Amino acid sequence: MGKYQRNGLQISLAVIMSLSLTWVILLQSLTYCCFNRQFYQDNFRKLQTSTKVDIDAADLNKSVDCLFDYLLQRRDDLNLQVRLLSTGQKTEMFNRREKDHMVDVKSLLQRVMFSQKAALTLFVLLFLLLPLLYRRAAATLWTDYLLSYRAGFIGGIVTALVFIALVAVFAACDFSTFWWKFHELLFTNDLWQLDPAESRLINLVEGEFFSNLVQYIISVTVTALVVAYALILLVLRILLKLSRKLRTLG
């Protein structure tokens, strides 16, 4: 344990605090990627989505805006008229089954956002609570406190990266199975099982699109986590040096 003995409870709470921060960063990365209009436009061009969905680029963008506004509670419905390229006729972009499925997606997103706020609250509470667990002399308190923080954050980032690596390997090896299991885990009904022959939504965000999205989310999340934790550990290292120096002088 080194020169300064650390209590297992303190380190455990530091790990939980670290994982709470990880969850906040992960969900922030997730929402950033999922609501990145430029990502959608780039993939629509690459995958020739306009032809597959039978609507032009302008209506594609309107459809994405409609979905975003609905999920972010800026509109109450998914009623949107688009013009078919093949016939020139106007029709509803989304059918009843798609709209019902998006009700589930919207509910899931609200729960995710709530969990992010809860994780941030837990992080702040543990950040304030951890110093109260120390009953040592003031000369050693900050050093022990910072050591617990460092141990906790290292444990948290290692746990997070291992989990992300496992998900990435699963998705890379068999994306279809990964996506199927992912939906079975998140939804209690089969509304997400949309027929490509009838559903514009499933053709709007087809399998290759989702595969690209998952890769995008993983790369952004890993980058954000590594940068955040590198900065945190750098700050802790500087503070530890300062704390030990002050203790020596004291």
Side-chain angles (χ1 to χ4, degrees), residues 119-136:
L120 182 58
T121 301
L122 179 60
F123 172 82
V124 173
L125 290 175
L126 290 176
F127 180 84
L128 298 174
L129 172 65
L130 200 54
L132 302 180
L133 297 178
Y134 289 86
R135 293 294 181 269
R136 296 178 176 84

Side-chain angles (χ1 to χ4, degrees), residues 5-25:
Q5 296 298 314
R6 283 158 280 165
N7 186 287
L9 173 61
Q10 294 157 349
I11 295 178
S12 297
L13 291 177
V15 171
I16 294 173
M17 183 175 66
S18 174
L19 291 176
S20 298
L21 179 62
T22 297
W23 186 245
V24 171
I25 294 173

